[in-house]
Amino acid sequence: MTKKEVTERDEKLKLLKEQITSALDEKSIARQEQLKELSRELEHTAQENRILHKKIQELSHKVQNCENCSKLKTQLKISQESNGKIRVDVNVLKPIKEKGKMK
């Protein structure tokens, strides 16, 4: 091999290395953009999760402190103590059914 051929080969190798580096950098930049987008989506989903969790806790608290539920429990307890048979006043259940229909 002559010195000229070696120089040409070195130039071709250098050019090939630059092209490979450029291609890898472009892929890296694209991957970083994808990671940023996924991070934004994850944060948004986590925020939605926190909001829904808070709503669940609020609804759970409302159910635990429901006035109709308290009345129904008291009525059931009184009915069971009086004769062992369960009797439920339908008027107590009516507001509960109406609330379910409104949502």
Side-chain angles (χ1 to χ4, degrees), residues 2-93:
T2 65
K3 188 173 184 179
K4 184 179 178 183
E5 291 174 339
V6 171
T7 304
E8 287 177 6
R9 192 186 82 188
D10 286 344
E11 286 297 319
K12 287 180 183 179
L13 285 173
K14 184 178 176 183
L15 181 61
L16 183 60
K17 285 180 183 179
E18 289 175 2
Q19 290 173 344
I20 290 172
T21 301
S22 175
L24 290 176
D25 285 344
E26 289 173 13
K27 287 182 182 179
S28 178
I29 291 170
R31 187 156 291 140
Q32 287 176 356
E33 288 299 319
Q34 287 176 337
L35 287 173
K36 285 180 186 178
E37 180 63 30
L38 289 172
S39 295
R40 286 189 290 265
E41 285 182 36
L42 178 62
E43 180 58 35
H44 179 71
T45 303
Q47 184 178 6
E48 283 182 18
N49 185 30
R50 287 189 294 271
I51 291 168
L52 292 174
H53 185 70
K54 186 176 180 179
K55 285 182 180 180
I56 288 172
Q57 286 179 331
E58 290 171 359
L59 289 174
S60 175
H61 183 70
K62 285 181 182 179
V63 168
Q64 289 174 355
N65 297 325
C66 175
E67 186 178 319
N68 289 326
C69 295
S70 298
K71 289 179 184 176
L72 183 59
K73 286 178 186 177
T74 303
Q75 186 182 5
L76 285 171
K77 185 176 180 183
I78 291 170
S79 294
Q80 287 175 339
E81 289 174 355
S82 65
N83 62 3
K85 294 183 180 178
I86 298 175
R87 293 182 194 169
V88 178
D89 183 3
V90 179
N91 294 324
V92 174
L93 296 175

